[in-house]
Structures are given as C-alpha cells and as structure tokens.
C-alpha cells in the first residue's frame, strides 16, 4: 500500500491486479494478468504454483512480460490450511 500511495500519480494508471485478501483470482484471471503485463509481481502467503496450473503456465505465450518477481511462502495459519486443503485434492 505504501508503494501504491507513493507512486500513485506516476504509474498506477498502468497497474492492474488483485490486492489484498478480498478474493482469490481464477485461473482465467491469472492468465489474463500474465498475458497483458510487462512486469508481474506476486507477493503471497502461499506458493505461486498453488494458484495457477503448471501445464497452463508452461503453455502460455507471454512475450510482453519482461520481469516476473515471485515472493511467495509468507506463512500464516490460514494460508497453511488452504495449502493443505488444496494439496489433498492433487
């Protein structure tokens, strides 16, 4: 939020994505964000790969994306429970 406030007037018209814990993006929304971005930042409590299907990510054509920063595995009790529930079905 500090970064958004600091650079709001310069760059945020070009920023698109999901911020906060309001909802989890769908597979289609992840693909749309990756396809249309020049840089991608993921900062999450879970593994990035728990949000997107590996076979779909590998098959994607994302030539516009020049930078991808993945900051994952920030843990909390809630995120650990979500990962555990997700892994049971795999």
């Amino acid at each position: 939020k500090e970064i958004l406030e600091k650079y709001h007037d310069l760059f945020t018209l070009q920023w698109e994505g999901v911020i906060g814990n309001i909802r989890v993006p769908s597979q289609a929304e992840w693909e749309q964000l990756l396809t249309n971005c020049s840089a991608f930042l993921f900062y999450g409590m879970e593994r990035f790969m728990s949000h997107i299907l590996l076979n779909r990510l590998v098959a994607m054509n994302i030539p516009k994306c020049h930078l991808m920063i993945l900051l994952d595995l920030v843990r909390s009790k809630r995120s650990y429970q979500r990962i555990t529930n997700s892994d049971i079905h795999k």
Side-chain angles (χ1 to χ4, degrees):
K1 288 184 180 182
E2 291 175 32
I3 292 171
L4 286 175
E5 291 171 5
K6 184 176 181 179
Y7 297 104
H8 180 269
D9 296 330
L10 298 174
F11 301 107
T12 54
L13 293 177
Q14 300 171 7
W15 291 14
E16 183 180 340
V18 179
I19 299 172
N21 59 0
I22 298 169
R23 63 184 172 77
V24 176
S26 67
Q27 177 70 33
E29 190 172 0
W30 283 115
E31 291 178 17
Q32 180 182 12
L33 290 169
L34 284 165
T35 302
N36 296 324
C37 72
S38 60
F40 179 81
L41 170 66
F42 176 85
Y43 180 80
M45 294 183 178
E46 297 90 7
R47 297 181 313 262
F48 173 68
M49 295 309 298
S50 70
H51 289 278
I52 191 164
L53 298 172
L54 178 61
N55 60 341
R56 299 282 294 265
L57 179 63
V58 172
M60 287 180 64
N61 184 13
I62 50 175
K64 295 180 192 176
C65 188
H66 298 284
L67 174 68
M68 184 177 283
I69 300 172
L70 302 177
L71 304 170
D72 62 2
L73 297 179
V74 179
R75 298 289 183 171
S76 72
K77 184 177 180 180
R78 188 173 177 190
S79 67
Y80 182 76
Q81 185 64 43
R82 191 187 86 69
I83 290 170
T84 302
N85 291 340
S86 173
D87 288 347
I88 289 172
H89 303 291
K90 291 182 180 177

